[in-house]
Amino acid sequence: MPVFPSSSLVISTYNWPQALELCLLSVLQQKILPQEIVIADDGSKVETKNLVDNFRSKFSIPIKHVWHKDDGFKKTIILNEAVRNSVGEYIIQIDGDIIIHPLFIKEHLISAKKKSFIRGSRTLINATTTQHLLNNKKFNINFYSKGLLNR
């Protein structure tokens, strides 16, 4: 088995705990977990804190919740703070409304190179499919799934 760099998954969020819940559920399905998850919270209300606290018991890795007061759109500031609070050699950053494939972390670590960045793009999900996923808290999405945009 190859030796991977230590990694931190930084997830940005703002007042959409239902989407963050799906995101964290998809992280639970990873074949390789990062060393930690750092939630970069741009001023969400207490529902997000409660969700993060609840997920701590579901993971075998630490979850840090880096939060600042809601003072307008300050995502870059809280992302920088989350990175400062990260311990991983390799930082993977996603938004809190992303559902990641079970090999997402592993594929990132396989592709990791010192002094380089990897950039990706998300596939969008239409409003009907999004609502269905949020209501059912279950997802089995692939390239051919209905309701996907921007493949």
Side-chain angles (χ1 to χ4, degrees):
M1 174 111 178
V3 176
F4 297 124
S6 63
S7 61
S8 297
L9 178 62
V10 174
I11 304 173
S12 59
T13 191
Y14 173 72
N15 276 335
W16 198 10
Q18 300 85 353
L20 181 60
E21 181 177 16
L22 287 182
C23 179
L24 290 169
L25 288 170
S26 74
V27 176
L28 276 172
Q29 295 182 353
Q30 294 301 292
K31 300 301 181 195
I32 294 179
L33 287 171
Q35 274 60 51
E36 65 177 351
I37 298 168
V38 183
I39 307 294
D41 190 338
D42 191 20
S44 297
K45 295 182 177 98
V46 71
E47 293 82 8
T48 298
K49 178 193 178 308
N50 293 342
L51 177 78
V52 172
D53 289 346
N54 182 41
F55 265 91
R56 284 191 172 105
S57 66
K58 298 176 194 244
F59 278 94
S60 60
I61 58 172
I63 299 178
K64 297 175 184 173
H65 188 195
V66 179
W67 177 90
H68 65 193
K69 183 180 173 191
D70 187 358
D71 187 28
F73 185 72
K74 307 278 181 162
K75 179 181 175 182
T76 55
I77 293 169
I78 199 63
L79 279 172
N80 283 330
E81 188 62 27
V83 169
R84 273 192 291 278
N85 279 275
S86 300
V87 297
E89 300 168 271
Y90 186 74
I91 307 293
I92 302 168
Q93 190 271 316
I94 62 173
D95 288 337
D97 61 350
I98 301 287
I99 297 170
I100 57 177
H101 184 277
L103 296 174
F104 182 82
I105 302 291
K106 182 178 181 180
E107 289 172 352
H108 261 276
L109 296 175
I110 288 169
S111 301
K113 294 190 177 29
K114 288 186 185 267
K115 298 184 181 184
S116 63
F117 292 90
I118 298 174
R119 182 195 155 294
S121 180
R122 65 172 76 194
T123 298
L124 302 176
I125 302 172
N126 71 25
T128 302
T129 303
T130 296
Q131 198 55 55
H132 176 77
L133 295 172
L134 291 171
N135 290 342
N136 294 301
K137 296 180 181 18
K138 293 181 183 177
F139 47 87
N140 184 14
I141 301 172
N142 63 56
F143 185 80
Y144 301 104
S145 296
K146 292 181 181 181
L148 301 184
L149 313 167
N150 188 34
R151 288 188 176 93

